Amino acid sequence: MNHQILRLQPGLHFVATPIGTARDITLRALDILASADVIAAEDTRSMRRLLEIHGVPLGDRPLVSYHDHSGAKGREKLLSLLAEGKSVAYASEAGTPLIADPGFHLSKEAQEAGHTVTSAPGPSAIITALTLAGLPTDAFFFAGFLPNAKGARRSALEAVKDVPGTLVFYESPKRVGEMLRDAARVLGGQRAAVVCRELTKKFEEVRRGTLEGLATDIDGALRGEIVVLIDRSSGEDVAEGDIEEALRGALENMSVRDAADSVAKAFGVNKRKIYQLALTLSAKK
Ligand code: SAM
């Protein structure tokens, strides 16, 4: 037996589940699933399978289906169980609840009603992809799924063009080629990018290249589940005037080194080059 029966606090307990390999479940997640008065799941069939695989008996405990889109009614049911003092474990179909998955409204309303809310952390495709991609992880922006319509997708890409961090997207295997072509057009074809497919599964694959190169290679649909990561702008498309203006502002209340560091990070440009410019500007002050 891999789990222990806990004296679980009344409240809502979010549980992360594997994104491919069943043994990626954590021991704490199993303990919570084994101990909660009620289990709620986005997909009750996958929850039953997970419990079976890990030998966690459901017994006569209720297994309730809940999706944020099931609306206020589904939520009311869980909130009334919480109000009765029950412990409710909630898992989405795979990975971490609330991350491109249901749970946000439930979490918010449970907190507003004064219930205890906890989370047993575990797998998420975002973190797994960042770990493997080989792109900087000091700062990243998770943009979720882009819109399907071309115009809306390009506008959404435009909106994240200058984010000073690695961009992370979830994408459908059917649309990944199209998405890469739009990203090359809006963000510049030379940006480094990575396509992660089927993470933690048998056919796990990580393809690295430039947006242009990957867009050319991937011209049809892929199979499986996909995360696309894109490096921040290299700064070549950043106007010198904008950098100078930002540096002048930063030098008002920072040392040369701190100003150079902060501006280089914000624009995603070479620190040494900015430092020289910061020295020159500060000498002219
Ligand atoms: N809650 C999940 C998490 O924490 O990652 C995400 C759920 S979202 C509905 C599903 C999307 O996540 C997929 O379309 C894919 O973009 C990404 N994803 C999930 N599992 C994956 C895997 N094993 N490999 C690559 N991408 C994955």
Side-chain angles (χ1 to χ4, degrees):
M1 194 174 77
N2 285 323
H3 58 269
Q4 295 174 0
I5 303 297
L6 309 172
R7 203 183 292 233
L8 212 54
Q9 256 186 306
L12 177 61
H13 303 272
F14 285 108
V15 171
T17 56
I19 56 167
T21 292
R23 290 182 68 79
D24 282 339
I25 191 99
T26 69
L27 295 177
R28 179 160 171 243
L30 292 179
D31 292 348
I32 291 172
L33 291 173
S35 314
D37 298 320
V38 177
I39 299 181
E42 178 189 9
D43 184 313
T44 51
R45 272 207 338 202
S46 14
M47 176 50 76
R48 269 183 206 283
R49 199 161 355 120
L50 193 71
L51 295 176
E52 255 170 49
I53 292 173
H54 296 290
V56 175
L58 181 61
D60 54 9
R61 295 178 298 154
L63 174 56
V64 181
S65 154
Y66 174 78
H67 195 289
D68 277 340
H69 302 315
S70 40
K73 246 192 172 166
R75 206 145 51 241
E76 271 166 26
K77 184 172 173 185
L78 293 179
L79 289 167
S80 69
L81 287 164
L82 292 170
E84 286 169 25
K86 300 273 194 267
S87 55
V88 177
Y90 180 73
S92 59
E93 192 182 346
T96 299
L98 282 83
I99 303 300
D101 258 350
F104 168 68
H105 294 289
L106 181 60
S107 175
K108 189 164 182 291
E109 290 187 24
Q111 286 170 43
E112 283 167 359
H115 300 302
T116 296
V117 180
T118 74
S119 167
S124 181
I126 305 174
I127 303 299
T128 315
L130 278 164
T131 312
L132 297 182
L135 293 176
T137 53
D138 58 323
F140 63 87
F141 183 81
F142 175 55
F145 286 97
L146 285 169
N148 294 344
K150 206 171 229 351
R153 184 164 60 223
R154 287 188 182 168
S155 308
L157 284 163
E158 193 68 54
V160 294
K161 190 173 179 180
D162 297 321
V163 168
T166 295
L167 301 172
V168 185
F169 302 89
Y170 284 171
E171 192 46 272
S172 115
K174 278 191 228 145
R175 273 188 297 273
V176 61
E178 240 175 280
M179 180 263 186
L180 290 166
R181 275 183 283 286
D182 278 344
R185 188 175 155 149
V186 176
L187 307 176
Q190 289 316 303
R191 277 211 206 185
V194 181
V195 174
C196 294
R197 194 172 74 81
E198 293 289 85
L199 293 166
T200 78
K201 304 186 204 175
K202 187 171 175 194
F203 296 107
E204 176 173 287
E205 182 187 35
V206 179
R207 292 200 205 182
R208 300 181 180 85
T210 58
L211 275 174
E212 206 171 28
L214 288 167
T216 311
D217 288 353
I218 303 173
D219 61 354
L222 292 179
R223 281 193 182 180
E225 296 191 281
I226 309 283
V227 183
V228 176
L229 303 99
I230 303 175
D231 200 359
R232 72 195 77 186
S233 159
S234 67
E236 277 150 27
D237 52 346
V238 176
E240 290 261 323
D242 291 347
I243 294 182
E244 210 173 297
E245 197 184 317
L247 265 179
R248 281 187 205 280
L251 284 166
E252 297 287 329
N253 49 21
M254 284 187 206
S255 68
V256 168
R257 185 170 299 279
D258 288 348
D261 273 0
S262 116
V263 171
K265 200 167 173 193
F267 286 87
V269 291
N270 185 289
K271 225 187 263 177
R272 200 171 302 157
K273 209 166 121 190
I274 300 290
Y275 185 64
Q276 288 308 323
L277 183 58
L279 278 176
T280 315
L281 291 177
S282 122
K284 280 191 198 158
K285 272 206 322 182

